[in-house]
Structure formats: structure tokens, C-alpha cells
Amino acid sequence: SQKIEQNSEALNIQEGKTATLTCNYTNYSPAYLQWYRQDPGRGPVFLLLIRENEKEKRKERLKVTFDTTLKQSLFHITASQPADSATYLCAPPTSGTYKYIFGTGTRLKVLA
Amino acid sequence: KAGVTQTPRYLIKTRGQQVTLSCSPISGHRSVSWYQQTPGQGLQFLFEYFSETQRNKGNFPGRFSGRQFSNSRSEMNVSTLELGDSALYLCASSFFRTGTTGELFFGEGSRLTVL
């Protein structure tokens, strides 16, 4: 079955450093992949979308890569700030449907 | 532009009862999806509606049902509640049409506690 894996362990980094989060998928090839941010007790918020024919996408301090050979997407936050502390979820759509599979998310904590 | 509105935000029920949750999507969005979020399982897809038709369904028992009205508002119902149904239920709307990528816009969720 189609599966998404994110590092479920929390990631702690120092303010100003670059945070890198990993999303691996198996048993299918999504045409695109989305990343969301979720704060405690709130609904996820859309951040970025990357398509299979795009190697890299940027938005301000955020960068997403999509390696269809490795079946992996990386999410980078440069010059991280304590306000970036949240859980980050990757979500590719299920093939041929309007349904997304969400990873369990990686909790990022940026230390001041 | 108003966001996705979910009601109620918090509710407490006892085992065996039923519950109805409501979701008002962003104006113009005709797709509404529902997700269940628990600490151990993450976001699990329940179902998706578009123009009053259920297009996709997740792997949940028949106790979980939903519907969408002509104004795109959606409700989900859980009957015969079990302790394991305690979760944050999230609704997301999208401008989903064939050929679009459909970013999801989530509501704040309805936190259900089953005692």
C-alpha cells in the first residue's frame, strides 16, 4: 500500500541554523507533494507544493526538493527562528484520487 | 475571505452516543475533506465530498458517515461512539477540480473526547 514516512522524532536545532526534514514515500509515484505546518491544537496550514518535474521550489526561507528516484522530498528552513517551531507534515495525493496521505509529521523545535 | 469554520470546537460524549460535526468551507470551494487526527496515527483520511457526492472514502468503519449540502457545507456523523474515537476531527476545503492540485485549507478542528 502507499505509504509516507517522516522522522517521527523531534528535531531540535539552534536559532539561525538550517533545519532539514525528510519525507519518504513508497509503493507509488505522486505527481506532486505538498508540505504543511501545524501548530498545537490548530489545523495544518499549506506551505509549499512541488511537482514531480520540479527539482526544487523556494518560498522565502523555505526550500523543498523532490527526488523521484530516491522517492524522497526534503524540506529546508534556512536561518531558522523560534517562531518556526511547529510540526511539519508532508502530503502527496493518492494516485488517481482527491485524497491525500499525510505523514505523521516531524516536530521541529528551534532553540533561542 | 473567511476561512474554514468548524463547529463545535470542543465536545465531550459518552460511549454509545452519536455526534455530528459541522464544517463550512471557504466560499467557492466545492470540495470538503474530513480527517481524524490522533497522536499515534497522525492525520487519517475519512472521506471527501464534491458537489454533494462522496468521491473518496478512507478505511473507517460504517459508523463514520458524512454528507455535503448544496451550499457545500458538510457534516460528519459518528454513531455508537467508542473510546478510540477521541480525536481531533479536521475539515479541509479545496478548490479541487480535475487537473488542479488542490491545496487544502483546514479548519481549526473539533476536539472530541469520548468518556
Side-chain angles (χ1 to χ4, degrees), chain A residues 38-50:
Chain A
Q38 186 175 25
D39 292 288
R42 311 290 295 274
V45 174
F46 171 78
L47 294 175
L48 278 170
L49 177 151
I50 186 165

Side-chain angles (χ1 to χ4, degrees), chain B residues 4 10 13 16-17 25 31 40 44 46 76 79 83:
Chain B
V4 177
Y10 303 92
K13 294 285 188 178
Q17 287 187 310
S31 169
Q44 302 290 308
L46 282 156
M76 68 163 282
S79 62
L83 295 178

Side-chain angles (χ1 to χ4, degrees), chain B residues 29-48:
Chain B
H29 287 188
R30 293 163 65 186
S31 169
V32 173
S33 303
W34 288 90
Y35 288 82
Q36 181 196 65
Q37 187 173 34
T38 56
Q41 298 293 320
L43 274 93
Q44 302 290 308
F45 175 80
L46 282 156
F47 24 67
E48 187 257 351

